[in-house]
Every structure is written in C-alpha cells, then in structure tokens.
Amino acid sequence: MAAAGVRMLRAGAFKPRTSPYDFQGLGLDGLKILRQARAQYGLAVVTEAMDESGAEQVAEYADVIQIGARNMQNFALLRHVAGLGKPVLLKRGPSATIKEWLLAAEDLLAGGLHDVMLCERGVRSFDTATRNLLDLSAVPLIRQMSHLPILVDPSHGTGRRELVLPMSRAAQASGAHGLLVETHPRPEKALSDGAQSLYPDQLRQLAAQTRALAAVLA
Ligand code: PEP
Ligand code: MN
C-alpha cells in the first residue's frame, strides 16, 4: 500500500459485525499490529472505536479515530471521542440523512474537536444487487453545506470489488477529498469483506488512475 502511494492505513481492530458469530477483530493485538505497520511503512493509522473505553485505547495507538456507520448517532461516544483530541473520521449512518450526518459532525465540533473528516459509505436501499447505494450526490452537497473534508468509501458502498474502481473515479470526479478502499493480499481468505476487497494489483491500478485523474481535474 505504501509503495502504491497510500497515505493512511485504515483497518479494524474492534469490528462492528452484523452477526455476533462473525470474526470480531483482534482487539488490542490488532492495534499493536497497526502500530507496527505505521512504524515500518510510515503510514498514518485510522481505526474504529466502538465504545468509550475502546476509544481510549484506540487514541493511544491511532492517528485518526473512526466512528463507524452504525455509531454515527451514538452521541455519548461522539462526545467522549471529541474530548480525546484525535482527528475523527465520521462515516455516514446506513439510513442517515445528510442533515443528521452533519449534525452528528456538529456534535464533535461542539465538543471542541475541529479535525473531522466525513465519509460517504452508501445508504440502505431496496436493491440487493449492491450492498448499499453509494450516494455520490452527497459529495458536492456536503461541499456546499460544510467546510469539512468529504471522503468516499466505494468498498462498503457497493460491496463488490469490480465496482470499486469505477466508483472511485466517479467519487473523485464528484469532488471527494479522498477515498477509503479495502484491499487484501488474498481476498478469498479475508475474515471480513473479501468480496469488496481489491487485489494488490487492482489497488496499484486504482492509485495510478487516481493520480492521472487528479491531474485532469486540477
Ligand atoms: C469499516 O469501515 O470498517 C466499516 C465497518 O464500515 P461501515 O461502518 O461504513 O459499515
Ligand atoms: Mn469492512
């Protein structure tokens, strides 16, 4: 990832899984692995905190605390995390309106935290062809309504590896400040979200295309 030009490593140590029987993440051991990757490859670490005590731990190890989609309106967690002073990546709730999302971000700002990034990751729709419905209209809208940077996550937004590259290009063209993309050396073996994880050569392709497109859009 670092060789491909990626700047931040986003991975989950504490994972909010839909089923309690699925892999739940490595917890503290996972945070230690992330810290090692950070030291070895110079990548900033972004990782999710699911509750207040976990957030304290995450703040010790990570550069950015992620608040996942399911916790977007967990106001107790937002207030707590605002007090930790680390930048926060706030993902859009699966059925949150733009207004609810921005007001959740406002909770962080009101708590004194000003380094907040937003991330569009798709909303729930009637269609099961994709995992979520990636709302790219949110990007120019957020840019009009807020000064906060807006990222797009086409991995959770579509759930399908073959859609990640085209939707990354679309996200960039819509004005996104960055992308959150899942990748795995062997997606078939991934313990979480393999179907939406890029192969390493696809990640390199995405990085090259992103750079080329940035030059055109500049
Ligand atoms: C994630 O980014 O690891 C994740 C679980 O995504 P979301 O919260 O958007 O479902
Ligand atoms: Mn995932």
Side-chain angles (χ1 to χ4, degrees):
M1 286 168 56
V6 172
R7 308 269 280 279
M8 295 173 145
L9 170 60
R10 197 240 35 136
F14 300 101
K15 300 200 57 66
R17 301 310 301 278
T18 302
S19 163
Y21 307 114
D22 287 341
F23 173 64
Q24 300 292 308
L26 295 173
L28 182 59
D29 289 344
L31 294 179
K32 289 179 179 163
I33 294 171
L34 292 176
R35 179 151 76 183
Q36 201 182 328
R38 180 180 187 275
Q40 207 164 329
Y41 298 103
L43 293 161
V45 164
V46 186
T47 195
E48 176 159 357
M50 297 212 306
D51 53 39
E52 280 125 283
S53 61
E56 305 269 343
Q57 244 179 0
V58 164
E60 265 180 56
Y61 286 82
D63 299 287
V64 177
I65 302 175
Q66 173 172 322
I67 301 292
R70 292 159 191 80
N71 268 322
M72 186 203 82
Q73 280 184 313
N74 182 340
F75 295 113
L77 180 60
L78 292 175
R79 283 290 159 104
H80 187 79
V81 163
L84 297 175
K86 287 271 169 154
V88 167
L89 175 69
L90 180 65
K91 299 193 84 175
R92 181 180 185 178
S95 39
T97 64
I98 301 272
K99 191 173 168 192
E100 287 164 342
W101 185 17
L102 287 176
L103 286 172
E106 199 66 32
D107 231 71
L108 293 167
L109 303 179
L113 182 78
H114 298 287
D115 299 324
V116 178
M117 293 176 271
L118 301 169
C119 181
E120 162 62 36
R121 46 78 76 204
V123 291
R124 185 151 291 207
S125 89
F126 56 86
D127 196 340
T128 54
T130 54
R131 183 174 178 181
N132 288 293
L133 186 66
L134 187 65
D135 178 12
L136 288 185
S137 67
V139 176
L141 202 50
I142 292 283
R143 290 193 60 146
Q144 254 178 47
M145 297 170 76
S146 169
H147 67 286
L148 298 174
I150 167 79
L151 276 59
V152 171
D153 170 1
S155 304
H156 295 90
T158 66
R160 299 172 65 141
R161 178 184 308 120
E162 75 276 19
L163 302 184
V164 169
L165 189 53
M167 294 317 284
S168 294
R169 292 191 298 253
Q172 206 180 345
S174 73
H177 296 98
L179 296 168
L180 187 166
V181 171
E182 291 195 328
T183 182
H184 196 285
R186 281 172 315 223
E188 337 32 66
K189 302 252 185 223
L191 295 175
S192 167
D193 293 348
Q196 67 194 35
S197 293
L198 297 184
Y199 288 97
D201 63 324
Q202 291 178 308
L203 182 77
R204 285 189 280 274
Q205 193 187 0
L206 184 145
Q209 289 195 7
T210 301
R211 272 191 288 276
L213 188 52
V216 173
L217 294 171

